[in-house]
Amino acid sequence: MIKNKFNRFGIIAICLLSFGYSCAQKNISKNISLKEVYKKDFLIGTALNGRQIEEKDSNAVVLIQQQFNAATPENIMKSEVIHPGWDTYNFDMADKLVALGKKYKIKINAHALIWHSQLPGYVRRLKDADSVKQFFTNHIKTVAGRYDGKVFSWDVVNEALEEDGTMRKSIFLEKLGPDFVTEAFRLAQQAAPNTELYYNDYNIEQPKKRAGAIALIKKIQAAGVRIDGVGIQGHWRASNIPLKDIEQSIVEFSALGIKVMFTELDLGVLPNPWDGDAADVNMKAEYSAKMNPYANGLPDSVEAKLTKGYEDLFKLFLKYKGKVGRVTFWGVNDSQSWLNGWPIPGRTNYPLLFDRNFKPKPAFDAVIKLKK
């Protein structure tokens, strides 16, 4: 239980000598927050679930107000939720999200306008290109148009690339052809002229996929269509963060004249069933105790890796603070993280800056310390 609900963060002791830390106690003031410490550098965001948007999770609401000035909805603006029937739209939760942002002065990044996953069933059953095009057009015009000027930005197209940088084999590619991404941005530009428009994907810091993303962005720009930024999701493992690739991506994407965002940041600490990193929500693996080694708590040695990982990342973000527009954590605290259930349901992961009791972790202190 949290007796005083963040009236006081208390004292966090960090003893990570192997990474150059002194074994000294750090006082975390009740007034210290990520959004304030980094307010001159970039926005600090979080992902919100339904209970948080409706303010039913009081501990989360306190933390959200205190720490974040940007927010992205986890699921409530995806097409299966917001557009469940051909002529049926469900704007209730999205409207509540907009109201929450206004209430707490949080900039809303709407997510995700066009995505091959989490489509409503009727779209997956469409057979002809004309019907898919009609859904595509109506969806963008209606949803993006409703929230123009009410949300700060849109992830217009989400995860349209394969790992080798080629176009993902989706219903949109199959029925509409390779120009569907450019057309999505064209329609979004028309429907939402007062909203920033982004392309969002995972692993686009990796060279092949990055090259594909750069080609995609250049294609949009060459068509005279507006694209304001790119979102690198940042689903990495704490022990294997590709810092050189991330830095090169910041340099190459920003050279296109667009903002670079880190949009779904979390650092997993559990074993990966596959070689390499991935973030495809459809990937699944079988549970085993070996794959859930920290069910009863995180060892100090692993906590140290997580802390060092976040410190290294934020050093890099600060180096390019003129080019990085936002850093969004994919969840408010560890209990909310999708990594507890992906790719293996029932695991206990620790990928964020706040623990399951909403208390700041040593990684939080390390990120704050960089600005002192």
Side-chain angles (χ1 to χ4, degrees):
M1 295 293 291
I2 304 173
K3 188 173 181 180
N4 292 317
K5 279 191 184 176
F6 297 103
N7 288 335
R8 181 158 56 256
F9 276 139
I11 298 175
I12 298 176
I14 302 177
C15 185
L16 305 174
L17 295 177
S18 61
F19 295 118
Y21 288 97
S22 63
C23 198
Q25 290 183 325
K26 302 296 178 184
N27 291 317
I28 305 299
S29 164
K30 67 179 181 179
N31 296 318
I32 295 232
S33 75
L34 291 164
K35 70 177 182 182
E36 290 300 323
V37 169
Y38 284 89
K39 65 182 178 181
K40 294 183 179 179
D41 306 309
F42 35 74
L43 294 171
I44 299 289
T46 187
L48 300 181
N49 62 30
R51 280 180 52 79
Q52 293 160 352
I53 291 167
E54 293 188 299
E55 299 191 71
K56 293 180 179 179
D57 185 342
S58 59
N59 289 329
V61 171
V62 171
L63 191 63
I64 290 161
Q65 292 178 65
Q66 183 187 60
Q67 297 293 331
F68 305 107
N69 51 18
T72 299
E74 277 187 328
N75 290 299
I76 58 97
M77 296 185 89
K78 292 171 181 172
S79 60
E80 70 175 1
V81 177
I82 206 167
H83 192 176
W86 184 262
D87 292 317
T88 304
Y89 293 87
N90 180 6
F91 295 122
D92 180 57
M93 289 298 293
D95 287 351
K96 288 180 180 179
L97 174 65
V98 168
L100 185 79
K102 186 176 181 179
K103 180 178 180 180
Y104 296 126
K105 298 181 180 179
I106 293 172
K107 291 185 176 181
I108 301 301
N109 174 67
H111 173 82
L113 197 55
I114 294 297
W115 188 30
H116 67 277
S117 189
Q118 291 184 244
L119 288 168
Y122 67 89
V123 175
R124 295 193 298 271
R125 292 189 293 270
L126 296 175
K127 301 298 183 184
D128 62 285
D130 287 343
S131 295
V132 175
K133 184 177 181 179
Q134 188 176 351
F135 161 79
F136 182 89
T137 302
N138 291 345
H139 181 76
I140 294 173
K141 286 184 175 180
T142 303
V143 179
R146 181 182 180 89
Y147 295 106
D148 183 39
K150 298 178 182 178
V151 300
F152 179 73
S153 53
W154 260 109
D155 291 330
V156 176
V157 177
N158 196 49
E159 300 175 3
L161 295 171
E162 301 282 8
E163 295 304 297
D164 63 359
T166 61
M167 296 294 290
R168 180 188 289 273
K169 296 172 181 63
S170 69
I171 187 174
F172 300 116
L173 180 66
E174 177 188 351
K175 301 297 185 183
L176 305 180
D179 292 334
F180 84 85
V181 176
T182 300
E183 184 61 18
F185 276 86
R186 190 192 312 277
L187 290 168
Q189 176 181 323
Q190 295 168 358
N194 303 298
T195 306
E196 293 195 359
L197 309 177
Y198 306 150
Y199 175 73
N200 189 58
D201 212 331
Y202 61 87
N203 284 357
I204 51 172
E205 75 283 350
Q206 295 300 314
K208 288 183 179 180
K209 199 167 186 179
R210 182 200 316 153
I214 289 171
L216 196 61
I217 292 163
K218 286 182 175 180
K219 186 177 182 179
I220 296 167
Q221 293 174 327
V225 176
R226 177 166 61 90
I227 178 170
D228 300 297
V230 61
I232 302 171
Q233 290 185 12
H235 297 298
W236 297 305
R237 283 181 285 175
S239 60
N240 186 33
I241 303 171
L243 292 168
K244 290 183 179 180
D245 290 327
I246 296 167
E247 181 168 17
Q248 189 62 31
S249 295
I250 296 171
V251 171
E252 292 188 22
F253 283 128
S254 62
L256 301 175
I258 60 176
K259 292 181 180 181
V260 179
M261 270 73 57
F262 292 89
T263 56
E264 303 182 18
L265 181 60
D266 47 32
L267 299 183
V269 298
L270 299 184
N272 191 325
W274 309 287
D275 292 331
D277 292 322
D280 188 332
V281 295
N282 296 310
M283 298 173 73
K284 297 294 180 185
E286 292 297 322
Y287 180 90
S288 71
K290 181 181 178 180
M291 287 291 170
N292 191 30
Y294 313 128
N296 297 317
L298 200 61
D300 290 344
S301 60
V302 182
E303 188 82 67
K305 289 180 182 179
L306 180 73
T307 300
K308 182 65 163 54
Y310 272 116
E311 181 188 39
D312 289 344
L313 271 174
F314 271 78
K315 281 181 181 177
L316 183 60
F317 298 158
L318 284 170
K319 180 178 178 180
Y320 292 96
K321 62 184 180 181
K323 302 181 188 302
V324 174
R326 169 168 52 90
V327 177
T328 291
F329 297 90
W330 204 240
V332 175
N333 76 341
D334 285 342
S335 66
Q336 182 190 348
S337 175
W338 73 301
L339 292 175
N340 294 308
W342 182 93
I344 301 173
R347 296 202 298 177
T348 305
N349 215 321
Y350 304 81
L352 299 170
L353 297 189
F354 297 91
D355 69 17
R356 283 166 168 75
N357 293 316
F358 296 92
K359 293 181 179 179
K361 295 155 66 172
F364 172 89
D365 192 43
V367 169
I368 294 293
K369 183 182 174 183
L370 292 174
K371 291 289 293 179
K372 288 186 177 181

